[in-house]
Amino acid sequence: MSTAFCFSALANTPEQNCVSCHQSAVSDWQQSDHAKAMAEATSATVLGDFNNATFDHFTQKARFFKQDNTFKIEFTEQQNTKVYTVAYTFGHFPLQEYLIKTDDGKMQVFPFAWDSRPKSENGQRWYPVYPDEDIKSADRLHWQQPMQNWNGMCADCHSDGLKRNYSIPKKQFDTNWDNINVGCQSCHNDMTDHTKNTAYKAGDGSIAGHLTSSDKQKAMGWLLDPSKPVAEWQGEPRDNQFMETCFSCHSLRSPLTDGIEPKTRFLDQFSPSLLTQPLYHADGQINDEVYVYGSFLQSKMYDKGVNCLDCHNKHTMKVKLQGNGLCLQCHNAQVYQQPEHTIHPLDSDGGQCVNCHMPQTTYMGVDARRDHSFKIPRPDLSDQFNTPNACVNCHTDKDNKWATAALKSNFGAPKDLAVSEQYFITLLHNRTLPLEQHLALINDSSMSDIKRASAIALLPNSTQILTDRVIAPWVSSELPLLRLATGLVGQILSPEDRLKSFKALLTDEFKAVRTAAANHFVDVQIKDLAVVQQALNELSIANEVSSWRGEGNLNRSIIYQRQGRTEQAIAALEHGLIVDPYFEPNYINLADLYRNNNQVKREGEIYQNGLKANPKSATLHYAYGMYQIRNGAKAESVASFKTAVKYDNTNTQYVYLYFLALDNVGKTNVALNELKRVLKQYQYQRQLVELGLNFSQKLNDRESYNFFVRFYQ
């Protein structure tokens, strides 16, 4: 699109005042992905083929056409055909998605996107969002369900000044925005007063309220001494707080408020996801779609003070230089831009810094994103910890041993990881550590903040009890992520210890910390009721913000239940079942509430409704089997447990109850034979071995007894 279109696109928006003084910045912005984050569906914005194109995917079929200057989709699924009108485009590259207005103020992401890459890259085609699956209507991933809802899942990062405005009583959205795409306001806040301030001088840098004068900027920078391998920062300490504005969207996080305020600190608006599997590989490389925050905070770059704008233009958001030149701004070419270092020709793909140190992971089939943790490839660790490495990612015909030998021949033997790094990668791989090692990792100040915080969050896997003495230094830490993670694990503190130093987290400067801690004071008696209530109110708002989906209602109900407010807990879960009918936990928790209130008939109805909506849910079949056992329907429970095992043959508890149910109806011999057949599959779990011994003795079956005794340790 032309610059002229850019200016007109800003007309009648808060950004219109920016154009007259900042034409260069606006022109740059027009080249950015931000400028194309969302738009009304017009001939100027729609990239897909709507010239009566058709596309089939499993049981779904779509025809894309135009009618009266609108873009239409005739969509058939499960033998039902309906015509939809495209309201908005969503993004532009490598995929452009399309939004369909539905009832209750919702907009849903249509299941087929346009692959806008060139034909030479296999683009210019319709592309299914789930290419390997036939997502039918009775599925939480179906395009008309909350997981594909624009209002809740996507909207706040694609438009300026957006508010979801979800109403729990009405069960509907009244979403609005100040500007349809990501413009000036998303980074600079509402600058209306600034346009009235005649004392303001153009040229003073401003991002999210953090000002740095032009004179100071000229006196500061990265200085690359030819005698040193890497540049060092020259001048006053950097104020990189502006990156919190970037992190608001470029992170995997849970919202604490409705919408994004650029001037508000990140941890006052969001609770970020920390480093865990499967979101990240054991060494911290990205796995799931986690965006940039979690990887960048691990990096040496971040630790040294590098910020987003050192590599990305502040308005186009594209990298400032192509190729290795970007890295050579700070990395000495005499050291790094040499075949001895790249071990590939400099003009080859292997000679590009990013291909070794920022490997790509592809999401949605075509969207390749680079890892911002800037790691050195370690194929020597890959077999041990099942981590990827850039070497065999490219050399797909080779293995990790080959890659390790190749690196060793060029750089020598790989360095041993520091002790705490060894602990960290082992922790993420095994999800647990011996407690002494776990605490040593957390208390090692040489480790990055996010790794230490992630280790705190994983403590419940290594211990069932913490004491005030252990957590007190974390509560008083100047590092907010450590305080946040401590707030998240309050359940392994005794109620008495929560009333000691942990209580200070209720008045922490950051909302994310306060709400994390508040969750552990719902049913703890405390004298400072006002302090607890304020934090609980913030937690309640955070849960309400997400009440358009199942998880938000589950969280609301748990709080109500712990407060003894059973009616409100039931109402929250019932609301969750209406808006998100394929979210299984709400059925189970609601059934439990009815059981606790001796409403046995209603409990059974909830399980039946849940199974009708989720017939392949192993969890629901198991829970219903337990309900049947409690109510004397032993024969019927056998079928429930058997079905649970059918849909999840990895859960030892499910198969254990299945065999017990068979025994209860006099089919001990069947249970014994089945148990012998699947014992290896369940890795000879002691619980199952003991059950086999019990059945063998009951049947006086010496041969079977000897079979199981071999595995009893």
Side-chain angles (χ1 to χ4, degrees), residues 25-95:
V26 175
S27 180
D28 284 348
W29 165 82
Q30 182 59 40
Q31 302 173 48
S32 70
D33 293 335
H34 288 166
K36 305 175 184 70
M38 185 170 164
E40 293 184 4
T42 69
S43 58
T45 60
V46 172
L47 302 177
D49 181 1
F50 278 79
N51 294 312
N52 217 34
T54 60
F55 184 76
D56 294 3
H57 180 63
F58 290 103
T59 60
Q60 299 172 323
K61 181 176 181 178
R63 180 172 69 92
F64 303 88
F65 63 101
K66 300 174 187 175
Q67 185 180 80
D68 299 328
N69 296 319
T70 61
F71 293 83
K72 301 281 189 177
I73 305 174
E74 181 185 82
F75 190 49
T76 302
E77 54 180 341
Q78 295 176 259
Q79 299 181 335
N80 294 316
T81 300
K82 187 173 181 179
V83 176
Y84 299 97
T85 299
V86 175
Y88 298 96
T89 64
F90 196 59
H92 76 110
F93 187 86
L95 293 175

Side-chain angles (χ1 to χ4, degrees), residues 506-555:
L506 291 170
T507 55
D508 193 89
E509 63 174 309
F510 291 110
K511 185 180 295 185
V513 180
R514 298 194 297 270
T515 56
N519 199 37
H520 304 292
F521 282 94
V522 174
D523 47 9
V524 173
Q525 296 297 319
I526 182 172
K527 294 181 180 179
D528 302 327
L529 292 178
V531 170
V532 177
Q533 193 57 52
Q534 180 178 352
L536 283 174
N537 288 342
E538 292 176 325
L539 177 60
S540 176
I541 291 171
N543 288 334
E544 288 176 4
V545 165
S546 297
S547 57
W548 54 272
R549 62 186 292 183
E551 289 88 347
N553 293 288
L554 177 64
N555 292 334

Side-chain angles (χ1 to χ4, degrees), residues 580-594:
D580 202 349
Y582 307 113
F583 182 65
E584 304 162 17
N586 283 343
Y587 290 100
I588 293 171
N589 280 33
L590 183 55
D592 283 345
L593 279 177
Y594 283 124

Side-chain angles (χ1 to χ4, degrees), residues 391-405:
C391 304
V392 298
N393 284 352
C394 285
H395 298 275
T396 55
D397 59 331
K398 307 294 185 181
D399 60 17
N400 292 319
K401 290 182 180 178
W402 169 86
T404 299

Side-chain angles (χ1 to χ4, degrees), residues 552-564:
N553 293 288
L554 177 64
N555 292 334
R556 290 172 59 223
S557 73
I558 291 171
I559 298 298
Y560 288 139
Q561 186 177 2
R562 290 166 60 192
Q563 292 173 328

Side-chain angles (χ1 to χ4, degrees), residues 264-303:
T264 302
R265 297 171 301 181
F266 178 64
L267 291 179
D268 275 331
Q269 301 186 84
F270 303 101
S271 182
S273 297
L274 299 175
L275 310 179
T276 59
Q277 291 210 64
L279 297 178
Y280 297 84
H281 292 287
D283 62 350
Q285 291 186 74
I286 60 174
N287 186 23
D288 279 0
E289 195 172 5
V290 291
Y291 310 101
V292 173
Y293 172 85
S295 53
F296 188 49
L297 261 63
Q298 302 174 52
S299 70
K300 291 182 179 179
M301 303 280 193
Y302 178 79
D303 184 58

